Amino acid sequence: MAIKFCFGKGFYELDIKSDYSLLGKDFKGKEVDLREIFSNVSIQGKKIGLILPDTTRPLPAKEILSEIYPKISDKNITIFIGTGTHRNPTEEELKNYLGDFREKFKIVINDSKSSVKYQKIGLTERGTEVEILKEILAQDQIIAFTVVRPHYYAGFSGGRKIFIPGVSSYKTIQQNHRLVLDPDPKKGKNPYAVLAYLEKNPVHLDMMDVLKLVPLPCTFLNFVIFNKKIVYFSKDFFEAVCFVKENFQLEVKEKFDTLIISAGGFPFDTNFIQGHKALEHSIGALKEGGKIFAYIEAKEGFGSKDCIDFLKIGSIEGITEKLREDFKVYGHTALTILMKAKRFEVNLCTALSDEDLKLMGYKRWDGKTLPENLGKAGVIEQASLYYIPQRI
């Protein structure tokens, strides 16, 4: 039987002739009623700031804004696009994302490397200098819309991440993200800054400290998205995390020789930095030395020059040393890319060039054929949401 794997805005059909286990097909959640959500949202003051994630997240922004609009139509509204270190959305992307609200509301995009004005609001316990968009501090209330799903070093996306990296300065983002490194220079990555783990995760804990410094009322609306539909909502980030764990965390008793996965198509595989998260979510189910075949289009390439520059260093040790000298967010991504190449055989169906694949130590896969002997094989069709936790 052929399986459809999403790839960008299209898909591949693959007939897997070997026996395989299909992981992550049990969820049958119902779509959440947006009207019910917004009936319980109180509005304070006249100047209301709405923070939305950028277009690499699957938030149905037009639908959400349509439902909340009757409650805020008489207010002075500014939409802040929380890009963090991502590129700015194009005008076409903004129109597709926001619809008519692109023209109705003032839009402020957090271009963290530009001359956008920030204001320092304090220091976290770990010494991060917290600078956020100055215009946010001029609002009477902030309503933050977030998408909660697993994240490979912050534990989970959503909640506090809409502020940092979302609307923070590049300096603040760098200081927070460098906490991914172990305090001991002889060690690489901090063992607690990993996928789906929060309790002692220094990146996450520092982000929570940032929220304590924000000096105005903030309402968080945290969503879980599945198949482009909102299947869960909570004002409490940790409740949303619990929902993700209960419904999308996979337990694997015996690891697989081969994995076949998809990042889930657009927007999850817009660039490789986004798409490779699906690899991170999956490798906990793969034996050391095993093979993974992944559909990650990455039509826009890596998504960061920093990532390419660090990959050119060519070794895990060299990248780690460089990160300690001059930390770059996507230098850490380069480190995790090479770490996978060292442990597994990674085969990509992708738009990346042969040169890009060589830098990573990955192989090109046509997406249509598989080796005859897969051994024990596992399939994850939406590896940007389903995940195997890493044990601490």
Side-chain angles (χ1 to χ4, degrees), residues 80-81 83-84 88 108-119 131-136 166-170:
F80 298 90
I81 304 295
T83 54
N88 289 354
V108 175
I109 298 170
N110 182 33
D111 187 350
S112 63
K113 290 187 179 180
S114 76
S115 58
V116 172
K117 301 297 183 182
Y118 297 93
Q119 183 167 324
E131 298 175 342
I132 64 173
L133 287 173
K134 190 172 184 179
E135 199 162 347
I136 281 180
V167 291
S168 298
S169 72
Y170 188 72

Side-chain angles (χ1 to χ4, degrees), residues 8-185:
K9 294 184 179 180
F11 63 88
Y12 273 79
E13 246 182 4
L14 184 66
D15 189 5
I16 305 173
K17 295 181 171 58
S18 304
D19 289 336
Y20 63 89
S21 298
L22 189 60
L23 307 176
K25 290 292 286 187
D26 296 332
F27 180 73
K28 296 180 174 62
K30 295 181 179 179
E31 189 169 4
V32 170
D33 186 348
L34 286 173
R35 293 179 187 177
E36 185 178 336
I37 290 172
F38 295 124
S39 65
N40 297 316
V41 175
S42 62
I43 307 299
Q44 305 172 43
K46 289 294 293 181
K47 297 179 70 175
I48 309 297
L50 310 179
I51 308 180
L52 274 64
D54 67 18
T55 54
T56 63
R57 301 295 185 262
L59 187 76
K62 285 183 287 191
E63 292 83 351
I64 287 171
L65 292 172
S66 294
E67 288 297 336
I68 199 172
Y69 182 66
K71 297 193 72 164
I72 60 175
S73 59
D74 62 337
K75 308 295 183 182
N76 184 354
I77 303 296
T78 301
I79 290 180
F80 298 90
I81 304 295
T83 54
T85 57
H86 298 168
R87 68 161 176 79
N88 289 354
T90 65
E91 185 57 36
E92 182 181 0
E93 287 169 338
L94 274 179
K95 287 178 179 177
N96 289 335
Y97 188 47
L98 302 176
D100 293 341
F101 296 101
R102 170 67 183 95
E103 306 301 330
K104 276 191 173 77
F105 299 146
K106 178 181 179 180
I107 310 296
V108 175
I109 298 170
N110 182 33
D111 187 350
S112 63
K113 290 187 179 180
S114 76
S115 58
V116 172
K117 301 297 183 182
Y118 297 93
Q119 183 167 324
K120 184 174 179 179
I121 58 174
L123 286 173
T124 68
E125 289 182 16
R126 291 166 180 78
T128 297
E129 301 171 74
V130 183
E131 298 175 342
I132 64 173
L133 287 173
K134 190 172 184 179
E135 199 162 347
I136 281 180
L137 300 174
Q139 308 302 308
D140 295 321
Q141 180 188 8
I142 290 293
I143 302 175
F145 302 84
T146 90
V147 177
V148 180
R149 56 184 178 133
H151 190 275
Y152 69 112
Y153 60 84
F156 288 88
S157 286
R160 72 280 186 252
K161 275 185 99 262
I162 198 70
F163 267 93
I164 175 169
V167 291
S168 298
S169 72
Y170 188 72
K171 178 171 74 175
T172 296
I173 296 166
Q174 295 291 78
Q175 290 179 6
N176 168 262
H177 286 14
R178 74 175 296 114
L179 294 170
V180 77
L181 298 176
D182 195 281
D184 184 348

Side-chain angles (χ1 to χ4, degrees), residues 54 56-57 83-87 112-113 151-153 161 165 170 173-174 177-178 180 271-274 276-277 302-311 319 323 326-337:
D54 67 18
T56 63
R57 301 295 185 262
T83 54
T85 57
H86 298 168
R87 68 161 176 79
S112 63
K113 290 187 179 180
H151 190 275
Y152 69 112
Y153 60 84
K161 275 185 99 262
Y170 188 72
I173 296 166
Q174 295 291 78
H177 286 14
R178 74 175 296 114
V180 77
N271 57 54
F272 191 71
I273 284 172
Q274 294 302 316
H276 107 281
K277 294 175 184 178
F302 277 102
S304 165
K305 183 179 180 298
D306 286 342
C307 186
I308 298 170
D309 290 342
F310 272 81
L311 283 170
I319 291 175
L323 283 171
D326 181 23
F327 186 84
K328 294 286 192 298
V329 174
Y330 297 124
H332 164 256
T333 305
L335 178 64
T336 63
I337 287 169

